[in-house]
Amino acid sequence: MNTYDLVVVSAFGRGHWLATEFASRGWRVELLDVTPSLGDYDPRDVEGPFGLLEASDLHPSQRARLVDEGEFVQVAGGFTMWLPEGPLEFRSELTPFLLRARDIPSEVETYLRQPSFETKEALSERRSLRKLQYSHSWLAQFAHSFASAAHYENYVALDSDAVTSMFTPYGLRQLSAAGLAKGAQIMQTAGVTVVPNARLRTFAFDGKIAASIETEDGIIHQARAFVWCASYEETKTLSDSLLRALFPANWPEAPWAWQRLSFTVSDPAFLSMIPLSSVVIQDVDLAWTRANMIVLRRREGEARFDAWVKIPTWMRREKPAYEQVLNEVRTTLESRFPGVRLEEIEQDMTPLIWPIWSGDEFDVIQGSAAPRKGPNVFFDSPGVWRSLDWMGRFRHENMIVVRLEKLKTQWDAAARKAELAASRQRPGKGSVS
């Protein structure tokens, strides 16, 4: 039996920073990586469409984790939207002019530039923005919609509690298999015990207390706390017994998902003229789904790029509907790339890494249908993140850190109490013969 302070069950690199952080604090930490059991995937799918917008509450060690695991490129112009009337860069000398030219009110810019969206002032400003006409509030609506784990129609997206800091420094990680391997090595150097291909059998509870995880080789992994980084769908893939132990039976299927499409171009030199990442929107008044909103990601020196779109999850199972979206995306992009032909790079359907729920469903899985509650088990995956981008994920992990620190205080207090009680029972202590 192996006993630890913390066991992290990791999928697709989730939980790496948490494991490293607590190992650096002297905790005995083990990371069980279940990714190989979840099907074939591309590191591009693991990285997702969002990139890193560096808000003020980003810890240096969190940024270092992304830099260490893959080539990290700072985007000079910052986050970029490619609208029908042209590009809108959010860290450019022209940014103020472009915002005014698009009739973006100053109160929208002021709201999106603030360092925190949780203050009373920010919440008051958000309420005021709801009163604006959509033609004036759409950029704030977009900031609340872009990386949100809950889908809202664009004209009510301010109801989402997720928000993207669009004016902050923006960087992209070019993740690769080598980068993932390097990340595992960094964790081990920090003191984390890494099990690279863990095959889990059971998760045992003692009442509400999470007690241990057993792997198929019969080893019991016991810990004082656990972080589970596999989503509902991923846990279902691992085993029904794990699913029953950790998630409710009424967990709703995510109706939306981010999906990656990949293309080669007939003129590779053309790619050097477009940003490393940009959000192509055809019409800000229409739903930011399917071909109306496409997140482009490319890598320097490659004659290909990725196009991320938000589609209904059922389309991932229905090839004709999926191909229709693909053709719409190709047509949309070719209209933006004069004289350039695009050719799809065929790929198998990847695991459902980026699910999105409706606003009402997301409230349910955050409340009555939440994963199993326990004082020493925490969840870190889609379904519990409010925002799917790196800042949203790191903020969620920061909350787990606070709760683990409180647990450590309780453990230390219990240890001191036990030591005091034991000392009183020793011969010559607390009694006279």
Side-chain angles (χ1 to χ4, degrees):
M1 180 182 296
N2 296 329
T3 303
Y4 297 90
D5 296 312
L6 176 66
V7 166
V8 177
V9 176
S10 175
F12 303 114
R14 302 173 199 142
H16 283 198
W17 175 77
L18 275 174
T20 304
E21 173 68 16
F22 281 95
S24 68
R25 299 183 183 194
W27 288 39
R28 293 164 296 161
V29 180
E30 181 181 51
L31 184 134
L32 305 175
D33 188 358
V34 299
T35 307
S37 300
L38 299 176
D40 295 331
Y41 67 94
D42 188 304
R44 300 167 193 264
D45 294 308
V46 174
E47 188 59 21
F50 306 110
L52 173 66
L53 284 155
E54 300 182 30
S56 58
D57 52 341
L58 176 70
H59 293 314
S61 60
Q62 291 171 329
R63 187 183 190 279
R65 181 237 150 149
L66 302 186
V67 174
D68 289 341
E69 289 190 353
E71 180 185 353
F72 192 82
V73 181
Q74 205 74 40
V75 181
F79 190 83
T80 300
M81 301 180 75
W82 191 355
L83 304 171
E85 59 271 26
L88 171 56
E89 296 180 328
F90 286 85
R91 289 184 67 81
S92 163
E93 294 179 355
L94 294 176
T95 299
F97 167 77
L98 294 173
L99 291 173
R100 298 293 83 79
R102 287 163 175 77
D103 203 21
I104 303 298
S106 59
E107 55 262 46
V108 170
E109 181 181 356
T110 299
Y111 173 73
L112 293 178
R113 282 188 180 275
Q114 60 194 330
S116 173
F117 297 94
E118 302 295 332
T119 64
K120 289 182 180 180
E121 292 78 8
L123 294 174
S124 176
E125 290 178 18
R126 182 173 160 191
R127 287 192 294 270
S128 297
L129 294 182
R130 287 193 176 100
K131 300 175 183 178
L132 295 177
Q133 292 183 352
Y134 174 78
S135 60
H136 289 152
S137 71
W138 71 266
L139 186 62
Q141 307 270 14
F142 173 85
H144 278 265
S145 170
F146 178 58
S148 177
H151 175 76
Y152 291 87
E153 295 299 329
N154 51 356
Y155 56 88
V156 290
L158 280 165
D159 290 344
S160 170
D161 288 329
V163 59
T164 300
S165 300
M166 297 162 61
F167 288 91
T168 62
Y170 183 47
L172 305 173
R173 183 173 69 152
Q174 316 292 6
L175 189 62
S176 64
L180 288 169
K182 182 180 178 183
Q185 182 59 51
I186 290 171
M187 283 191 293
Q188 291 174 319
T189 302
V192 180
T193 300
V194 178
V195 180
N197 186 12
R199 298 187 177 275
L200 310 188
R201 180 180 293 167
T202 59
F203 199 148
F205 285 78
D206 183 5
K208 291 185 178 181
I209 304 297
S212 64
I213 293 174
E214 182 181 1
T215 48
E216 290 184 357
D217 53 13
I219 297 176
I220 306 295
H221 302 259
Q222 195 172 44
R224 297 201 287 181
F226 297 83
V227 178
W228 188 267
C229 300
S231 69
Y232 174 91
E233 290 289 341
E234 293 155 2
T235 304
K236 184 178 180 180
T237 299
L238 295 175
S239 84
D240 287 338
S241 64
L242 291 168
L243 189 69
R244 290 192 299 270
L246 295 168
F247 291 89
N250 61 334
W251 186 274
E253 179 185 13
W256 295 90
W258 282 100
Q259 179 64 39
R260 179 177 63 88
L261 311 173
S262 295
F263 299 91
T264 58
V265 297
S266 58
D267 180 11
F270 173 80
L271 286 180
S272 64
M273 295 186 288
I274 65 173
L276 292 173
S277 176
S278 57
V279 181
V280 178
I281 295 182
Q282 287 290 90
D283 189 336
V284 298
D285 293 334
L286 300 180
W288 295 320
T289 60
R290 301 180 173 89
N292 190 51
M293 183 177 75
I294 306 165
V295 182
L296 298 184
R297 288 284 301 267
R298 70 176 182 86
R299 301 187 181 192
E300 291 284 10
E302 291 189 348
R304 57 168 289 172
F305 66 90
D306 297 323
W308 286 87
V309 290
K310 188 192 293 187
I311 63 171
T313 50
W314 65 264
M315 284 188 176
R316 290 165 45 89
R317 302 185 292 268
E318 299 289 340
K319 189 173 181 179
Y322 179 79
E323 289 184 342
Q324 180 180 350
V325 171
L326 188 151
N327 290 332
E328 291 173 355
V329 169
R330 181 192 294 110
T331 300
T332 297
L333 293 178
E334 286 183 338
S335 70
R336 298 287 184 107
F337 301 164
V340 176
R341 296 187 309 279
L342 304 183
E343 187 70 29
E344 178 204 0
I345 300 175
E346 294 189 8
Q347 58 194 22
D348 295 331
M349 191 60 65
T350 56
L352 182 62
I353 298 178
W354 303 102
I356 304 167
W357 288 263
S358 70
D360 290 341
E361 288 171 330
F362 192 71
D363 289 341
V364 169
I365 61 179
Q366 296 282 298
S368 59
R372 179 168 184 161
K373 291 181 172 62
N376 70 330
V377 60
F378 310 97
F379 292 82
D380 185 19
S381 64
V384 297
W385 302 330
R386 288 191 306 177
S387 185
L388 301 175
D389 63 345
W390 277 114
M391 280 309 309
R393 295 167 63 174
F394 284 142
R395 285 175 178 138
H396 183 81
E397 291 189 331
N398 290 342
M399 291 189 290
I400 294 176
V401 167
V402 172
R403 294 173 67 184
L404 285 171
E405 289 172 337
K406 290 181 179 178
L407 271 183
K408 180 65 162 55
T409 300
Q410 295 170 11
W411 298 338
D412 291 346
R416 288 192 298 269
K417 185 177 180 180
E419 175 61 27
L420 180 61
S423 68
R424 289 173 176 170
Q425 299 300 317
R426 295 184 189 123
K429 299 286 186 181
S431 63
V432 178
S433 1

